[in-house]
Amino acid sequence: MPTAPPAPPTVEDLKRSVEALPPFVAAAQIASAPIADAIKTVQESTTAKAAAVVAQLATSTATQIINQVTTAKAGDILGAMPVDKAGRVMEQMTTAKLEQVLPSIPTKALQDRLAEVSPAKQYDVKPQTLFQLLHKAPTEQLVKETPP
């Protein structure tokens, strides 16, 4: 007699995995869960653990999650993730969400991560947003040059 397949993990199961298992193992479980459960799990996990797990996910999945968690949580996670992965996620984020999240990322972390984002994506962000956050940065680094 065949046995029934195991029930998919609940959000509580996923949260326990994120907190207790190595990030690559928890990431595999998150990646196989329904996206709504993955988002809720990341939202409710500690920032350090969430950042470590999200960094292990495919960039498209990580971006999907970051676009859906709260702005504060997204900023905290992006600020704690490895610079290169955070830059790749920021590159794929919607411009609206990116503009909301940027103020939540600490200034030093933001500078490091923006260096990983394409100039084209940076130019999509309202210049005023970047000027307010990076007021000490040279303006030519923040605004697209318009040749005469």
Side-chain angles (χ1 to χ4, degrees):
M1 176 176 238
T3 59
T10 65
V11 171
E12 289 304 316
D13 293 336
L14 292 170
K15 283 190 332 193
R16 280 191 293 278
S17 294
V18 167
E19 297 300 328
L21 297 175
F24 71 94
V25 175
Q29 291 182 356
I30 292 283
S32 65
I35 192 66
D37 291 351
I39 293 164
K40 186 170 181 162
T41 300
V42 169
Q43 178 66 49
E44 295 177 3
S45 297
T46 64
T47 297
K49 294 291 187 167
V53 170
V54 171
Q56 297 293 318
L57 294 170
T59 302
S60 60
T61 304
T63 303
Q64 196 173 10
I65 291 170
I66 293 295
N67 273 329
Q68 296 299 316
V69 297
T70 63
T71 299
K73 188 68 167 192
D76 290 345
I77 292 170
L78 288 168
M81 284 173 64
V83 173
D84 60 332
K85 182 66 174 219
R88 289 194 306 272
V89 169
M90 291 167 67
E91 183 74 30
Q92 291 187 11
M93 290 175 67
T94 64
T95 302
K97 181 69 173 193
L98 184 59
E99 287 177 343
Q100 292 171 356
V101 168
L102 290 177
S104 299
I105 303 172
T107 302
K108 174 65 174 124
L110 179 58
Q111 289 172 328
D112 293 344
R113 281 141 186 83
L114 280 176
E116 300 294 321
V117 176
S118 72
K121 184 67 173 188
Q122 290 181 41
Y123 297 149
D124 288 344
V125 176
K126 293 177 190 142
Q128 297 84 350
T129 301
L130 295 176
F131 291 151
Q132 288 173 343
L133 298 172
L134 302 169
H135 55 277
K136 293 182 181 178
T139 56
E140 61 269 11
Q141 291 181 344
L142 302 178
V143 179
K144 186 175 184 178
E145 186 176 334
T146 307

